[in-house]
Amino acid sequence: MSSQSDRFPFFNEAEVPAGGEGWESMFPYFLVPSEETRDDENARFWFADTMHWSRGAHPFDSIGAEAVYLGAGQNSTRIFVLPVSLGLDVRIVNGYVYISPIAVEDPETIQARVAHFQERAGYYYANWDDLYSKWKAKMDAAIESLRGISFPPLGELDPIEVVTEARGRSTSWNIIENYHRLIDEFFVVWQYHFEFLNLGYGGYITFFQFCKEAFPQISEQSISRMVAGVEVLAFRPDDELRALAALANELGLTAAISAGHAPDMLVAELAKTNEGRAWIEAFDKAKDPWFNYFAEYGFTHDQETWASDLSIPLQGIARYATKLAAGEGIARPVERLRAERDAIVDEYRALLTDGEAKQFDELLGLARTVFPYIEEHNIYVEHWAHNVFWQKTWELADFLLAAGFTQTRDDMFYMNRFELDAVLFDVVESWAIGVPARGVKRWGAEIAKRRVIVDALQSASAPPAYGIPPKQVTDPFAIMNYGVTTERVADWLGATTGSSSTMNGIPGSIGIVEGRVRVLRSEKDLSLLEPGEILVAPITAPSWAAAFAVATGVITDIGGMMSHAAIVCREYGIPAVVGTGFATARLTTGQRVRIDGKAGTVELLDDTDVATHAGTTTS
């Protein structure tokens, strides 16, 4: 049995925040630790997925934890048969989502899985472009299917067409049927999500491992820079903001757009002139689909998109327009990145034999082919599909409100998906019979109780991990995406001896920069970021791109080499240290730091350091 000094608390040792007692009843039983599964849970290592659920989840929002890790497991374990890893097990503890990588350790099993993987993954790698095109078509169809779902209120009677067309079924059943469609489509979308993602990581990791073996002294940064400068759809929303900023500057509208007016007031002001109306037309054209973009990761019902809160994209446009008016460039340094990329490739390729160089070229080509999906899938799944999904859940919430079952719009999200299925049947059957719904008072009391519980859970932060950590973290998904490395786990346990003035993280993007930090927890706060400051955040979402035109560096609590923050900072040429674990807790706005994006370090500076080194930036 492990001692407390070399492990994290077990699930059954977790302290419940005051007021959060009884949280277990809100979630499906299979997401909650139990006595039946305790031995297995306590034998493993679990880390918090605060990348996707940054706060305690509402009961309905736990559907994401079901769908994500079902899709991940199906594709890793059963479809593509990854040789050394199965799926990611999942639990909810005190409202937070925790995951545990399941490794394959038996050499014979690994060897047997290798043969399956080579056949199945090989087919996808050989036909990547064609299959990826078909994947986009599948996603478009799934999104359209979601968009076609509706939950109209129940009238006094079924329409007369039910009789004249001899349909033989009530329109009220559409509510049940469409709810099931909504849930089923969400789960299918997440199976599509992982159809290519693990193969994308696999292609990059294979190239990464080849480089580490062929060039023992090569840095992880140099490897990642060999695939930089690739055009991906994930940059398109930010490109739209840049284009709108350039148009505003051309039309002489920079002052108006940068005045900080509320969106409605700004549009009314611009509509008074021909130039303003021309800009509004371009702005409206960009909204769909490029503003269907969550400010965070889109995993909870209460997150805003750019389209639902236009102040978010307008902040980015104003920043870019102001820079243009000052004579500064706003273009992403693509050509410089490509030149640097090609120089690094040539440097290392020259060290190889002809045979090794051929293999290097093939693996690099594969890595560049699969890399766009690693970023682009976020657009299709977490943003476009999730945007429609959450819109439809709010329409369903309105249905329950109109039926008199709930008291406020968000009451519905205090039920998990199974409970909601039963409630909808109650509403439909009661309407059909002609009696009041049976669960109104029961659920009114339960929702009131759960509101207190959820508030209590969200008032507490998530411990980084539970259980027994491995001697070495080897799961590529945990390392590359989440930044969960052996070193980070040691930091969490307090086993490292570094000084309190230094934090270690994952080298996200090369460069050294010094400056004052701005600690932000939401994209809504990006307007507070001043030029020249270093952005510190739990994690950055794809929609934060405009901030990289202002920040001189980035530090995050969460994320690995292939996290969004790391990828985007490399593409924008901004130094970054990701996956520090504690930056938002240890740093406060206004403090000065030096970040080294090659070494993965963050150093707190004192006044002497500031006077000596202020303004230093190197690459």
Side-chain angles (χ1 to χ4, degrees):
M1 188 72 174
S2 297
S3 66
Q4 283 279 8
S5 62
D6 61 1
R7 68 166 174 85
F8 297 95
F10 293 139
F11 286 151
N12 56 293
E13 297 169 342
E15 294 186 12
V16 179
E21 294 82 5
W23 65 267
E24 298 91 340
S25 66
M26 302 193 303
F27 301 104
Y29 76 89
F30 49 82
L31 289 179
V32 178
S34 68
E35 186 174 348
E36 179 180 344
T37 55
R38 180 172 298 170
D39 289 345
D40 183 53
E41 290 162 351
N42 288 354
R44 292 201 266 117
F45 173 64
W46 305 79
F47 63 88
D49 186 357
T50 47
M51 176 182 292
H52 299 111
W53 294 271
S54 60
R55 51 191 177 274
H58 284 70
F60 185 82
D61 296 357
S62 67
I63 187 175
E66 298 179 57
V68 170
Y69 297 109
L70 172 70
Q74 288 168 326
N75 281 278
S76 297
T77 309
R78 308 298 179 185
I79 296 176
F80 292 106
V81 199
L82 300 188
V84 298
S85 61
L86 303 178
L88 295 153
D89 204 359
V90 58
R91 297 291 188 277
I92 290 180
V93 180
N94 289 334
Y96 286 92
V97 177
Y98 286 83
I99 54 178
S100 177
I102 307 299
V104 181
E105 299 178 349
D106 175 58
E108 291 186 5
T109 303
I110 291 174
Q111 194 59 39
R113 293 177 67 84
V114 164
H116 291 298
F117 177 77
Q118 289 176 337
E119 176 186 9
R120 297 175 180 217
Y123 177 77
Y124 266 65
Y125 289 142
N127 300 279
W128 188 273
D129 290 340
D130 179 54
L131 296 176
Y132 188 23
S133 177
K134 291 178 179 176
W135 181 88
K136 291 179 179 179
K138 287 187 297 190
M139 281 300 307
D140 286 339
I143 292 168
E144 283 305 307
S145 177
L146 283 168
R147 194 171 279 123
I149 294 171
S150 63
F151 302 100
L154 298 174
E156 177 64 24
L157 300 173
D158 265 307
I160 188 63
E161 289 79 11
V162 173
V163 177
T164 59
E165 296 174 6
R167 294 178 188 175
R169 53 172 277 177
S170 170
T171 54
S172 64
W173 190 250
N174 295 346
I175 301 299
I176 305 297
E177 184 177 63
N178 284 348
Y179 175 67
H180 292 163
R181 275 185 59 202
L182 179 68
I183 301 303
D184 291 348
E185 205 69 76
F186 185 77
F187 276 83
V188 168
V189 160
W190 272 97
Q191 292 174 56
Y192 291 163
H193 175 283
F194 284 101
E195 179 185 359
F196 279 81
L197 185 60
N198 288 347
L199 296 180
Y201 279 119
Y204 178 81
I205 290 168
T206 301
F207 174 66
F208 181 92
Q209 291 172 336
F210 173 90
C211 290
K212 280 293 188 180
E213 292 176 7
F215 319 113
Q217 301 303 314
I218 194 171
S219 69
E220 295 179 358
Q221 285 287 356
S222 294
I223 300 173
S224 64
R225 291 170 75 189
M226 291 188 203
V227 298
V230 178
E231 286 298 331
V232 296
L233 195 68
F235 295 118
R236 179 65 183 274
D238 188 51
D239 290 342
E240 293 292 326
L241 300 190
R242 293 166 189 267
L244 288 165
L247 180 61
N249 194 58
E250 177 186 328
L251 296 174
L253 302 173
T254 297
I257 288 172
S258 304
H261 295 311
D264 289 346
M265 186 182 299
L266 174 62
V267 170
E269 186 67 25
L270 293 177
K272 296 176 181 178
T273 67
N274 290 334
E275 292 81 4
R277 287 190 292 272
W279 190 88
I280 291 170
E281 182 179 355
F283 182 78
D284 288 341
K285 186 177 179 180
K287 286 181 184 177
D288 189 12
W290 307 113
F291 287 9
N292 297 326
Y293 209 45
F294 280 98
E296 297 181 59
Y297 268 80
F299 280 81
T300 65
H301 71 276
D302 53 359
Q303 292 181 11
E304 298 280 4
T305 64
W306 286 5
S308 64
D309 184 356
L310 292 175
S311 67
I312 298 173
L314 284 170
Q315 286 177 15
I317 294 168
R319 286 188 183 280
Y320 284 137
T322 301
K323 288 174 73 72
L324 284 173
E328 300 178 41
I330 62 172
R332 190 162 54 92
V334 176
E335 295 306 319
R336 176 173 65 81
L337 287 169
R338 289 175 178 170
E340 293 173 353
R341 173 194 72 187
D342 294 343
I344 295 171
V345 169
D346 291 343
E347 174 188 352
Y348 283 99
R349 191 181 187 282
L351 303 175
L352 301 172
T353 65
D354 289 344
E356 291 170 334
K358 181 180 179 181
Q359 186 179 7
F360 174 85
D361 291 342
E362 291 174 351
L363 293 176
L364 175 58
L366 176 62
R368 288 181 177 174
T369 296
V370 303
F371 176 77
Y373 181 83
I374 294 175
E375 276 292 277
E376 287 186 354
H377 77 276
N378 279 294
I379 293 284
Y380 281 92
V381 179
E382 283 96 321
H383 294 279
W384 290 349
H386 277 208
N387 176 49
V388 180
F389 174 77
W390 290 118
Q391 286 178 5
K392 296 303 175 180
T393 63
W394 278 108
E395 290 178 19
L396 184 56
D398 288 335
F399 167 84
L400 287 179
L401 192 61
F405 194 92
T406 53
Q407 300 302 308
T408 62
R409 284 191 83 206
D410 68 339
D411 278 355
M412 187 191 82
F413 299 100
Y414 290 87
M415 310 172 193
N416 66 51
R417 71 178 179 100
F418 300 101
E419 295 167 336
L420 180 54
D421 199 0
V423 164
L424 290 173
F425 187 84
D426 179 11
V427 171
V428 168
E429 187 183 46
S430 299
W431 175 87
I433 296 169
V435 297
R438 280 71 56 103
V440 174
K441 290 184 178 179
R442 174 187 183 278
W443 272 105
E446 184 65 22
I447 289 167
K449 183 175 74 173
R450 290 184 177 187
R451 284 184 179 277
V452 174
I453 293 173
V454 171
D455 286 346
L457 299 181
Q458 293 189 343
S459 70
S461 58
Y466 286 97
I468 301 173
K471 293 180 180 179
Q472 292 288 326
V473 177
T474 58
D475 182 83
F477 191 67
I479 295 169
M480 290 288 181
N481 194 39
Y482 289 93
V484 178
T485 65
T486 305
E487 293 76 19
R488 292 294 72 68
V489 174
D491 283 343
W492 293 344
L493 277 172
T496 56
T497 58
S499 69
S500 59
S501 63
T502 302
M503 283 182 290
N504 297 313
I506 307 293
S509 180
I510 199 167
I512 299 173
V513 67
E514 298 175 7
R516 296 195 182 278
V517 303
R518 174 71 62 174
V519 181
L520 302 177
R521 296 188 176 276
S522 167
E523 188 183 31
K524 293 181 180 180
D525 299 326
L526 285 179
S527 60
L528 302 174
L529 184 67
E530 298 290 338
E533 290 183 327
I534 294 172
L535 171 63
V536 182
I539 190 170
T540 65
S543 55
W544 289 41
F548 300 126
V550 179
T552 56
V554 173
I555 306 169
T556 69
D557 292 341
I558 311 163
M561 280 290 293
M562 299 306 288
S563 66
H564 173 77
I567 291 172
V568 173
C569 285
R570 289 195 292 271
E571 292 295 324
Y572 283 76
I574 302 170
V577 178
V578 299
T580 61
F582 307 102
T584 56
R586 292 185 180 177
L587 298 175
T588 57
T589 294
Q591 288 182 305
R592 292 189 66 93
V593 300
R594 179 188 301 122
I595 69 173
D596 186 334
K598 184 176 182 179
T601 58
V602 178
E603 180 184 357
L604 184 62
L605 302 177
D606 60 26
D607 292 339
T608 303
D609 290 326
V610 172
T612 305
H613 300 287
T616 302
T617 304
T618 61
S619 60

